[in-house]
Amino acid sequence: MDAEIGRHFAAVIDLARQKLDQVEIVQEDISLARAILELQGRLGSYDIRIKEIFSAEGKLYSYYVLREGQVVVGFDNYPDRRVLREKFGRQFAAHLHERVPHRHDQGKSSVEATEEYGVQRFFELVGEMLV
Amino acid sequence: MSTVLEMKDEWVKTASLFGDVETVMTDALRRYAIEKCIQKIEQSRAKIKAYESKYGCDYDTFSLKIQTDEDFLQRVERINPVWEEDAMEWDYRLKELTEWMQKLEDTLQQ
């Protein structure tokens, strides 16, 4: 992975330290052809969890807000059957491993397709939601 | 590819006790690379094993059942409501493992 990923991870960590308390870098590893960053922190009474993975296949992400272990809101692009079913209808089985950006709401009771998220946008949204 | 390295004279003197310095240094670097590859492979395997134990199956089974089996999805969400974090990394570690094993094989063959 190139130096650009290293700079991106440094920017994510910097942003997290500006926005959150008790920031912990769980892992940061830039390997041969892939890179992973995982961090968590606190925002008031909420737990914020961020994970990004980069590879030749693109970016996988997971940005979640939890309270007492339950999802308040979350964004990720891991294949999700509910969104794939909504997007592809009866043909969804042919797309089971397709990455699909989406949002989960309280307790994961609902899910909806979104545009791809980045950590900056996640913090903006979380800031609006949790204030 | 050849690289010029600056090394402490003392190390070079010690290395020369074991034969041609260039050969000794090349062998040392190769051994270091092998050791690091094995370390990475062991780390990846440990992570993969932890996920297999947590979810009671291998990744192929997990990634299929999470999309096709509603009961399985509900069980997984009870274990970990943010299972996507794990799934992403599980896949990552499997691919990383393949890459490091290939790197090790290439190094061993050189």
Side-chain angles (χ1 to χ4, degrees):
Chain A
M1 289 267 102
D2 54 23
E4 199 179 320
I5 299 294
R7 284 195 292 274
H8 169 75
F9 282 173
V12 170
I13 292 167
D14 188 45
L15 190 62
R17 286 188 170 135
Q18 289 172 39
K19 304 280 185 186
L20 307 175
D21 297 319
Q22 300 170 41
V23 173
E24 181 196 353
I25 313 301
V26 179
Q27 55 179 331
E28 183 186 9
D29 184 22
I30 300 177
S31 189
L32 290 174
R34 51 198 68 250
I36 185 168
L37 173 68
E38 180 179 7
L39 63 86
Q40 53 196 37
R42 297 276 295 171
L43 185 64
S45 58
Y46 299 95
D47 291 311
I48 309 294
R49 291 162 65 142
I50 289 168
K51 199 166 194 172
E52 288 189 346
I53 284 174
F54 287 87
S55 70
E57 296 147 30
K59 174 184 159 188
L60 261 172
Y61 65 87
S62 165
Y63 309 129
Y64 274 81
V65 179
L66 286 91
R67 190 171 196 179
E68 294 170 0
Q70 294 304 308
V71 171
V72 175
V73 66
F75 299 84
D76 71 82
N77 63 346
Y78 189 80
D80 186 294
R81 57 180 271 157
R82 293 158 287 198
V83 187
L84 292 170
R85 195 182 285 263
E86 190 181 295
K87 188 174 175 185
F88 297 106
R90 287 182 178 180
Q91 305 301 316
F92 93 100
H95 302 270
L96 285 183
H97 301 292
E98 195 165 305
R99 292 176 182 182
V100 54
H102 57 276
R103 166 186 174 145
H104 294 278
D105 283 313
Q106 186 75 41
K108 285 191 152 178
S109 55
S110 65
V111 58
E112 61 175 299
T114 63
E115 292 176 357
E116 182 164 310
Y117 262 66
V119 76
Q120 174 83 42
R121 193 168 170 205
F122 169 69
F123 277 128
E124 284 166 10
L125 190 117
V126 164
E128 289 164 17
M129 278 182 68
L130 304 183
V131 167
Chain B
M1 191 178 80
S2 67
T3 308
V4 178
L5 298 172
E6 274 192 34
M7 274 177 278
K8 286 185 181 175
D9 286 348
E10 201 180 312
W11 295 356
V12 176
K13 275 183 201 163
T14 307
S16 69
L17 296 173
F18 304 106
D20 171 63
V21 172
E22 196 177 322
T23 308
V24 172
M25 292 303 177
T26 304
D27 187 47
L29 276 175
R30 184 172 173 272
R31 281 166 187 263
Y32 179 81
I34 289 168
E35 190 183 306
K36 286 290 174 186
C37 284
I38 290 170
Q39 217 174 71
K40 288 283 189 181
I41 287 166
E42 282 172 355
Q43 283 169 1
S44 301
R45 280 194 174 136
K47 289 261 187 182
I48 292 163
K49 202 174 167 186
Y51 287 130
E52 287 174 348
S53 170
K54 185 173 181 178
Y55 295 104
C57 59
D58 63 19
Y59 180 73
D60 285 346
T61 306
F62 177 91
S63 64
L64 181 66
K65 284 179 84 175
I66 204 79
Q67 304 291 38
T68 56
D69 183 338
E70 184 64 37
D71 290 342
F72 183 77
L73 174 64
Q74 283 181 13
R75 278 202 308 275
V76 165
E77 292 207 326
R78 278 197 296 271
I79 296 170
N80 179 10
V82 285
W83 55 266
E84 291 90 342
E85 288 180 344
D86 286 349
M88 283 164 54
E89 186 172 346
W90 197 348
D91 182 42
Y92 172 94
R93 297 295 170 193
L94 282 164
K95 287 172 178 159
E96 181 186 61
L97 175 65
T98 306
E99 286 161 10
W100 282 114
M101 286 178 74
Q102 185 58 56
K103 195 76 184 163
L104 176 63
E105 201 177 310
D106 293 348
T107 309
L108 287 170
Q109 282 174 0
Q110 282 165 11

PDB file of all heavy atoms in Angstrom, chain B residues 56-83:
ATOM      1  N   GLY B  56     -18.464 -19.849  15.050  1.00  0.00           N
ATOM      2  CA  GLY B  56     -18.724 -21.276  14.896  1.00  0.00           C
ATOM      3  C   GLY B  56     -18.716 -21.794  13.473  1.00  0.00           C
ATOM      4  O   GLY B  56     -19.359 -22.804  13.175  1.00  0.00           O
ATOM      5  N   CYS B  57     -18.010 -21.132  12.585  1.00  0.00           N
ATOM      6  CA  CYS B  57     -17.923 -21.608  11.188  1.00  0.00           C
ATOM      7  C   CYS B  57     -16.759 -20.912  10.489  1.00  0.00           C
ATOM      8  O   CYS B  57     -16.147 -20.007  11.059  1.00  0.00           O
ATOM      9  CB  CYS B  57     -19.221 -21.316  10.432  1.00  0.00           C
ATOM     10  SG  CYS B  57     -19.673 -19.586  10.376  1.00  0.00           S
ATOM     11  N   ASP B  58     -16.477 -21.353   9.267  1.00  0.00           N
ATOM     12  CA  ASP B  58     -15.434 -20.651   8.500  1.00  0.00           C
ATOM     13  C   ASP B  58     -16.046 -19.448   7.772  1.00  0.00           C
ATOM     14  O   ASP B  58     -17.270 -19.262   7.772  1.00  0.00           O
ATOM     15  CB  ASP B  58     -14.709 -21.604   7.537  1.00  0.00           C
ATOM     16  CG  ASP B  58     -15.625 -22.195   6.484  1.00  0.00           C
ATOM     17  OD1 ASP B  58     -16.706 -21.632   6.241  1.00  0.00           O
ATOM     18  OD2 ASP B  58     -15.265 -23.225   5.892  1.00  0.00           O
ATOM     19  N   TYR B  59     -15.194 -18.642   7.157  1.00  0.00           N
ATOM     20  CA  TYR B  59     -15.689 -17.392   6.566  1.00  0.00           C
ATOM     21  C   TYR B  59     -16.638 -17.630   5.388  1.00  0.00           C
ATOM     22  O   TYR B  59     -17.640 -16.924   5.261  1.00  0.00           O
ATOM     23  CB  TYR B  59     -14.520 -16.498   6.121  1.00  0.00           C
ATOM     24  CG  TYR B  59     -15.020 -15.203   5.497  1.00  0.00           C
ATOM     25  CD1 TYR B  59     -15.573 -14.206   6.300  1.00  0.00           C
ATOM     26  CD2 TYR B  59     -14.973 -15.004   4.126  1.00  0.00           C
ATOM     27  CE1 TYR B  59     -16.064 -13.034   5.748  1.00  0.00           C
ATOM     28  CE2 TYR B  59     -15.461 -13.830   3.563  1.00  0.00           C
ATOM     29  CZ  TYR B  59     -16.000 -12.847   4.372  1.00  0.00           C
ATOM     30  OH  TYR B  59     -16.492 -11.695   3.822  1.00  0.00           O
ATOM     31  N   ASP B  60     -16.320 -18.626   4.571  1.00  0.00           N
ATOM     32  CA  ASP B  60     -17.191 -18.893   3.412  1.00  0.00           C
ATOM     33  C   ASP B  60     -18.615 -19.209   3.873  1.00  0.00           C
ATOM     34  O   ASP B  60     -19.591 -18.712   3.302  1.00  0.00           O
ATOM     35  CB  ASP B  60     -16.637 -20.051   2.572  1.00  0.00           C
ATOM     36  CG  ASP B  60     -15.429 -19.621   1.750  1.00  0.00           C
ATOM     37  OD1 ASP B  60     -15.194 -18.396   1.635  1.00  0.00           O
ATOM     38  OD2 ASP B  60     -14.710 -20.502   1.246  1.00  0.00           O
ATOM     39  N   THR B  61     -18.698 -20.038   4.910  1.00  0.00           N
ATOM     40  CA  THR B  61     -20.018 -20.392   5.454  1.00  0.00           C
ATOM     41  C   THR B  61     -20.685 -19.156   6.043  1.00  0.00           C
ATOM     42  O   THR B  61     -21.867 -18.891   5.792  1.00  0.00           O
ATOM     43  CB  THR B  61     -19.860 -21.480   6.550  1.00  0.00           C
ATOM     44  OG1 THR B  61     -19.130 -22.570   5.993  1.00  0.00           O
ATOM     45  CG2 THR B  61     -21.202 -21.951   7.067  1.00  0.00           C
ATOM     46  N   PHE B  62     -19.904 -18.408   6.809  1.00  0.00           N
ATOM     47  CA  PHE B  62     -20.440 -17.199   7.448  1.00  0.00           C
ATOM     48  C   PHE B  62     -20.997 -16.232   6.406  1.00  0.00           C
ATOM     49  O   PHE B  62     -22.138 -15.765   6.518  1.00  0.00           O
ATOM     50  CB  PHE B  62     -19.330 -16.516   8.263  1.00  0.00           C
ATOM     51  CG  PHE B  62     -19.754 -15.219   8.898  1.00  0.00           C
ATOM     52  CD1 PHE B  62     -20.296 -15.196  10.185  1.00  0.00           C
ATOM     53  CD2 PHE B  62     -19.625 -14.011   8.228  1.00  0.00           C
ATOM     54  CE1 PHE B  62     -20.695 -14.010  10.766  1.00  0.00           C
ATOM     55  CE2 PHE B  62     -20.022 -12.819   8.793  1.00  0.00           C
ATOM     56  CZ  PHE B  62     -20.555 -12.814  10.072  1.00  0.00           C
ATOM     57  N   SER B  63     -20.170 -15.936   5.393  1.00  0.00           N
ATOM     58  CA  SER B  63     -20.565 -14.894   4.431  1.00  0.00           C
ATOM     59  C   SER B  63     -21.774 -15.333   3.597  1.00  0.00           C
ATOM     60  O   SER B  63     -22.544 -14.497   3.144  1.00  0.00           O
ATOM     61  CB  SER B  63     -19.389 -14.499   3.533  1.00  0.00           C
ATOM     62  OG  SER B  63     -18.996 -15.580   2.740  1.00  0.00           O
ATOM     63  N   LEU B  64     -21.939 -16.643   3.429  1.00  0.00           N
ATOM     64  CA  LEU B  64     -23.121 -17.130   2.698  1.00  0.00           C
ATOM     65  C   LEU B  64     -24.358 -17.103   3.603  1.00  0.00           C
ATOM     66  O   LEU B  64     -25.398 -16.565   3.228  1.00  0.00           O
ATOM     67  CB  LEU B  64     -22.865 -18.549   2.169  1.00  0.00           C
ATOM     68  CG  LEU B  64     -24.015 -19.151   1.374  1.00  0.00           C
ATOM     69  CD1 LEU B  64     -24.238 -18.377   0.072  1.00  0.00           C
ATOM     70  CD2 LEU B  64     -23.765 -20.619   1.066  1.00  0.00           C
ATOM     71  N   LYS B  65     -24.185 -17.640   4.823  1.00  0.00           N
ATOM     72  CA  LYS B  65     -25.349 -17.760   5.712  1.00  0.00           C
ATOM     73  C   LYS B  65     -25.861 -16.399   6.198  1.00  0.00           C
ATOM     74  O   LYS B  65     -27.058 -16.221   6.399  1.00  0.00           O
ATOM     75  CB  LYS B  65     -24.999 -18.651   6.910  1.00  0.00           C
ATOM     76  CG  LYS B  65     -24.968 -20.125   6.533  1.00  0.00           C
ATOM     77  CD  LYS B  65     -24.596 -21.000   7.696  1.00  0.00           C
ATOM     78  CE  LYS B  65     -25.784 -21.322   8.572  1.00  0.00           C
ATOM     79  NZ  LYS B  65     -25.442 -22.279   9.640  1.00  0.00           N
ATOM     80  N   ILE B  66     -24.940 -15.458   6.341  1.00  0.00           N
ATOM     81  CA  ILE B  66     -25.355 -14.139   6.829  1.00  0.00           C
ATOM     82  C   ILE B  66     -26.286 -13.463   5.806  1.00  0.00           C
ATOM     83  O   ILE B  66     -27.090 -12.603   6.147  1.00  0.00           O
ATOM     84  CB  ILE B  66     -24.119 -13.259   7.162  1.00  0.00           C
ATOM     85  CG1 ILE B  66     -24.460 -12.178   8.192  1.00  0.00           C
ATOM     86  CG2 ILE B  66     -23.518 -12.599   5.924  1.00  0.00           C
ATOM     87  CD1 ILE B  66     -24.522 -12.635   9.595  1.00  0.00           C
ATOM     88  N   GLN B  67     -26.148 -13.899   4.541  1.00  0.00           N
ATOM     89  CA  GLN B  67     -26.964 -13.304   3.468  1.00  0.00           C
ATOM     90  C   GLN B  67     -28.203 -14.126   3.145  1.00  0.00           C
ATOM     91  O   GLN B  67     -29.119 -13.616   2.510  1.00  0.00           O
ATOM     92  CB  GLN B  67     -26.136 -13.187   2.172  1.00  0.00           C
ATOM     93  CG  GLN B  67     -24.861 -12.416   2.294  1.00  0.00           C
ATOM     94  CD  GLN B  67     -25.083 -10.945   2.523  1.00  0.00           C
ATOM     95  OE1 GLN B  67     -25.992 -10.539   3.242  1.00  0.00           O
ATOM     96  NE2 GLN B  67     -24.274 -10.115   1.916  1.00  0.00           N
ATOM     97  N   THR B  68     -28.203 -15.391   3.544  1.00  0.00           N
ATOM     98  CA  THR B  68     -29.290 -16.256   3.071  1.00  0.00           C
ATOM     99  C   THR B  68     -30.123 -16.866   4.200  1.00  0.00           C
ATOM    100  O   THR B  68     -31.175 -17.448   3.930  1.00  0.00           O
ATOM    101  CB  THR B  68     -28.718 -17.419   2.224  1.00  0.00           C
ATOM    102  OG1 THR B  68     -27.761 -18.126   3.011  1.00  0.00           O
ATOM    103  CG2 THR B  68     -28.057 -16.921   0.952  1.00  0.00           C
ATOM    104  N   ASP B  69     -29.649 -16.761   5.435  1.00  0.00           N
ATOM    105  CA  ASP B  69     -30.312 -17.445   6.538  1.00  0.00           C
ATOM    106  C   ASP B  69     -30.698 -16.421   7.620  1.00  0.00           C
ATOM    107  O   ASP B  69     -29.854 -15.960   8.378  1.00  0.00           O
ATOM    108  CB  ASP B  69     -29.329 -18.504   7.092  1.00  0.00           C
ATOM    109  CG  ASP B  69     -29.928 -19.347   8.195  1.00  0.00           C
ATOM    110  OD1 ASP B  69     -30.902 -18.916   8.839  1.00  0.00           O
ATOM    111  OD2 ASP B  69     -29.394 -20.446   8.431  1.00  0.00           O
ATOM    112  N   GLU B  70     -31.959 -16.078   7.667  1.00  0.00           N
ATOM    113  CA  GLU B  70     -32.449 -15.044   8.588  1.00  0.00           C
ATOM    114  C   GLU B  70     -32.175 -15.408  10.063  1.00  0.00           C
ATOM    115  O   GLU B  70     -31.783 -14.545  10.847  1.00  0.00           O
ATOM    116  CB  GLU B  70     -33.954 -14.836   8.363  1.00  0.00           C
ATOM    117  CG  GLU B  70     -34.578 -13.720   9.191  1.00  0.00           C
ATOM    118  CD  GLU B  70     -34.049 -12.328   8.867  1.00  0.00           C
ATOM    119  OE1 GLU B  70     -33.789 -12.038   7.680  1.00  0.00           O
ATOM    120  OE2 GLU B  70     -33.867 -11.536   9.815  1.00  0.00           O
ATOM    121  N   ASP B  71     -32.358 -16.689  10.394  1.00  0.00           N
ATOM    122  CA  ASP B  71     -32.109 -17.122  11.782  1.00  0.00           C
ATOM    123  C   ASP B  71     -30.642 -16.928  12.154  1.00  0.00           C
ATOM    124  O   ASP B  71     -30.322 -16.495  13.264  1.00  0.00           O
ATOM    125  CB  ASP B  71     -32.474 -18.601  11.969  1.00  0.00           C
ATOM    126  CG  ASP B  71     -33.982 -18.806  11.913  1.00  0.00           C
ATOM    127  OD1 ASP B  71     -34.717 -17.810  12.065  1.00  0.00           O
ATOM    128  OD2 ASP B  71     -34.406 -19.954  11.690  1.00  0.00           O
ATOM    129  N   PHE B  72     -29.775 -17.288  11.216  1.00  0.00           N
ATOM    130  CA  PHE B  72     -28.337 -17.137  11.447  1.00  0.00           C
ATOM    131  C   PHE B  72     -28.000 -15.654  11.662  1.00  0.00           C
ATOM    132  O   PHE B  72     -27.279 -15.302  12.592  1.00  0.00           O
ATOM    133  CB  PHE B  72     -27.549 -17.697  10.253  1.00  0.00           C
ATOM    134  CG  PHE B  72     -26.059 -17.656  10.424  1.00  0.00           C
ATOM    135  CD1 PHE B  72     -25.404 -18.580  11.226  1.00  0.00           C
ATOM    136  CD2 PHE B  72     -25.296 -16.684   9.789  1.00  0.00           C
ATOM    137  CE1 PHE B  72     -24.023 -18.541  11.392  1.00  0.00           C
ATOM    138  CE2 PHE B  72     -23.917 -16.628   9.943  1.00  0.00           C
ATOM    139  CZ  PHE B  72     -23.276 -17.561  10.749  1.00  0.00           C
ATOM    140  N   LEU B  73     -28.553 -14.790  10.825  1.00  0.00           N
ATOM    141  CA  LEU B  73     -28.317 -13.343  10.953  1.00  0.00           C
ATOM    142  C   LEU B  73     -28.756 -12.853  12.332  1.00  0.00           C
ATOM    143  O   LEU B  73     -28.025 -12.097  12.986  1.00  0.00           O
ATOM    144  CB  LEU B  73     -29.069 -12.586   9.841  1.00  0.00           C
ATOM    145  CG  LEU B  73     -29.038 -11.061   9.913  1.00  0.00           C
ATOM    146  CD1 LEU B  73     -27.631 -10.512   9.739  1.00  0.00           C
ATOM    147  CD2 LEU B  73     -29.949 -10.438   8.850  1.00  0.00           C
ATOM    148  N   GLN B  74     -29.911 -13.298  12.760  1.00  0.00           N
ATOM    149  CA  GLN B  74     -30.413 -12.858  14.077  1.00  0.00           C
ATOM    150  C   GLN B  74     -29.526 -13.361  15.211  1.00  0.00           C
ATOM    151  O   GLN B  74     -29.252 -12.629  16.164  1.00  0.00           O
ATOM    152  CB  GLN B  74     -31.847 -13.323  14.270  1.00  0.00           C
ATOM    153  CG  GLN B  74     -32.819 -12.457  13.475  1.00  0.00           C
ATOM    154  CD  GLN B  74     -34.264 -12.868  13.653  1.00  0.00           C
ATOM    155  OE1 GLN B  74     -34.594 -13.647  14.537  1.00  0.00           O
ATOM    156  NE2 GLN B  74     -35.132 -12.352  12.792  1.00  0.00           N
ATOM    157  N   ARG B  75     -29.054 -14.604  15.069  1.00  0.00           N
ATOM    158  CA  ARG B  75     -28.159 -15.150  16.099  1.00  0.00           C
ATOM    159  C   ARG B  75     -26.857 -14.354  16.157  1.00  0.00           C
ATOM    160  O   ARG B  75     -26.366 -14.005  17.224  1.00  0.00           O
ATOM    161  CB  ARG B  75     -27.839 -16.624  15.804  1.00  0.00           C
ATOM    162  CG  ARG B  75     -28.918 -17.591  16.282  1.00  0.00           C
ATOM    163  CD  ARG B  75     -28.353 -19.003  16.471  1.00  0.00           C
ATOM    164  NE  ARG B  75     -27.624 -19.528  15.328  1.00  0.00           N
ATOM    165  CZ  ARG B  75     -28.195 -20.138  14.286  1.00  0.00           C
ATOM    166  NH1 ARG B  75     -29.509 -20.271  14.227  1.00  0.00           N
ATOM    167  NH2 ARG B  75     -27.463 -20.593  13.287  1.00  0.00           N
ATOM    168  N   VAL B  76     -26.335 -14.055  14.975  1.00  0.00           N
ATOM    169  CA  VAL B  76     -25.071 -13.296  14.898  1.00  0.00           C
ATOM    170  C   VAL B  76     -25.261 -11.901  15.493  1.00  0.00           C
ATOM    171  O   VAL B  76     -24.400 -11.408  16.229  1.00  0.00           O
ATOM    172  CB  VAL B  76     -24.579 -13.219  13.430  1.00  0.00           C
ATOM    173  CG1 VAL B  76     -23.509 -12.152  13.268  1.00  0.00           C
ATOM    174  CG2 VAL B  76     -24.035 -14.570  12.988  1.00  0.00           C
ATOM    175  N   GLU B  77     -26.391 -11.280  15.206  1.00  0.00           N
ATOM    176  CA  GLU B  77     -26.615  -9.914  15.722  1.00  0.00           C
ATOM    177  C   GLU B  77     -26.775  -9.919  17.238  1.00  0.00           C
ATOM    178  O   GLU B  77     -26.500  -8.911  17.878  1.00  0.00           O
ATOM    179  CB  GLU B  77     -27.797  -9.247  15.016  1.00  0.00           C
ATOM    180  CG  GLU B  77     -27.442  -8.984  13.555  1.00  0.00           C
ATOM    181  CD  GLU B  77     -28.157  -7.825  12.894  1.00  0.00           C
ATOM    182  OE1 GLU B  77     -29.324  -7.588  13.228  1.00  0.00           O
ATOM    183  OE2 GLU B  77     -27.535  -7.178  12.021  1.00  0.00           O
ATOM    184  N   ARG B  78     -27.184 -11.061  17.786  1.00  0.00           N
ATOM    185  CA  ARG B  78     -27.255 -11.164  19.255  1.00  0.00           C
ATOM    186  C   ARG B  78     -25.844 -11.289  19.838  1.00  0.00           C
ATOM    187  O   ARG B  78     -25.547 -10.731  20.880  1.00  0.00           O
ATOM    188  CB  ARG B  78     -28.119 -12.359  19.677  1.00  0.00           C
ATOM    189  CG  ARG B  78     -29.621 -12.037  19.663  1.00  0.00           C
ATOM    190  CD  ARG B  78     -30.403 -13.068  20.470  1.00  0.00           C
ATOM    191  NE  ARG B  78     -30.310 -14.399  19.898  1.00  0.00           N
ATOM    192  CZ  ARG B  78     -31.148 -14.884  18.963  1.00  0.00           C
ATOM    193  NH1 ARG B  78     -32.128 -14.137  18.506  1.00  0.00           N
ATOM    194  NH2 ARG B  78     -31.008 -16.098  18.489  1.00  0.00           N
ATOM    195  N   ILE B  79     -24.969 -12.020  19.130  1.00  0.00           N
ATOM    196  CA  ILE B  79     -23.574 -12.176  19.597  1.00  0.00           C
ATOM    197  C   ILE B  79     -22.855 -10.833  19.500  1.00  0.00           C
ATOM    198  O   ILE B  79     -22.144 -10.418  20.400  1.00  0.00           O
ATOM    199  CB  ILE B  79     -22.806 -13.218  18.742  1.00  0.00           C
ATOM    200  CG1 ILE B  79     -23.411 -14.607  18.897  1.00  0.00           C
ATOM    201  CG2 ILE B  79     -21.323 -13.247  19.094  1.00  0.00           C
ATOM    202  CD1 ILE B  79     -22.854 -15.633  17.903  1.00  0.00           C
ATOM    203  N   ASN B  80     -23.044 -10.172  18.377  1.00  0.00           N
ATOM    204  CA  ASN B  80     -22.335  -8.919  18.121  1.00  0.00           C
ATOM    205  C   ASN B  80     -23.153  -8.050  17.167  1.00  0.00           C
ATOM    206  O   ASN B  80     -23.202  -8.330  15.972  1.00  0.00           O
ATOM    207  CB  ASN B  80     -20.954  -9.229  17.504  1.00  0.00           C
ATOM    208  CG  ASN B  80     -20.174  -7.975  17.194  1.00  0.00           C
ATOM    209  OD1 ASN B  80     -20.569  -6.869  17.591  1.00  0.00           O
ATOM    210  ND2 ASN B  80     -19.069  -8.124  16.492  1.00  0.00           N
ATOM    211  N   PRO B  81     -23.780  -6.993  17.688  1.00  0.00           N
ATOM    212  CA  PRO B  81     -24.619  -6.152  16.820  1.00  0.00           C
ATOM    213  C   PRO B  81     -23.821  -5.458  15.699  1.00  0.00           C
ATOM    214  O   PRO B  81     -24.416  -5.046  14.700  1.00  0.00           O
ATOM    215  CB  PRO B  81     -25.242  -5.133  17.774  1.00  0.00           C
ATOM    216  CG  PRO B  81     -24.577  -5.286  19.076  1.00  0.00           C
ATOM    217  CD  PRO B  81     -23.818  -6.575  19.095  1.00  0.00           C
ATOM    218  N   VAL B  82     -22.517  -5.344  15.891  1.00  0.00           N
ATOM    219  CA  VAL B  82     -21.702  -4.738  14.819  1.00  0.00           C
ATOM    220  C   VAL B  82     -20.785  -5.808  14.211  1.00  0.00           C
ATOM    221  O   VAL B  82     -19.585  -5.616  14.062  1.00  0.00           O
ATOM    222  CB  VAL B  82     -20.918  -3.491  15.299  1.00  0.00           C
ATOM    223  CG1 VAL B  82     -21.829  -2.300  15.444  1.00  0.00           C
ATOM    224  CG2 VAL B  82     -20.202  -3.742  16.611  1.00  0.00           C
ATOM    225  N   TRP B  83     -21.391  -6.915  13.825  1.00  0.00           N
ATOM    226  CA  TRP B  83     -20.645  -8.039  13.266  1.00  0.00           C
ATOM    227  C   TRP B  83     -19.960  -7.662  11.957  1.00  0.00           C
ATOM    228  O   TRP B  83     -18.996  -8.320  11.553  1.00  0.00           O
ATOM    229  CB  TRP B  83     -21.578  -9.239  13.037  1.00  0.00           C
ATOM    230  CG  TRP B  83     -22.766  -8.930  12.176  1.00  0.00           C
ATOM    231  CD1 TRP B  83     -24.003  -8.555  12.601  1.00  0.00           C
ATOM    232  CD2 TRP B  83     -22.824  -8.933  10.743  1.00  0.00           C
ATOM    233  NE1 TRP B  83     -24.832  -8.323  11.528  1.00  0.00           N
ATOM    234  CE2 TRP B  83     -24.131  -8.555  10.377  1.00  0.00           C
ATOM    235  CE3 TRP B  83     -21.905  -9.217   9.733  1.00  0.00           C
ATOM    236  CZ2 TRP B  83     -24.541  -8.447   9.041  1.00  0.00           C
ATOM    237  CZ3 TRP B  83     -22.302  -9.116   8.406  1.00  0.00           C
ATOM    238  CH2 TRP B  83     -23.611  -8.731   8.069  1.00  0.00           C
TER     239      TRP B  83
END
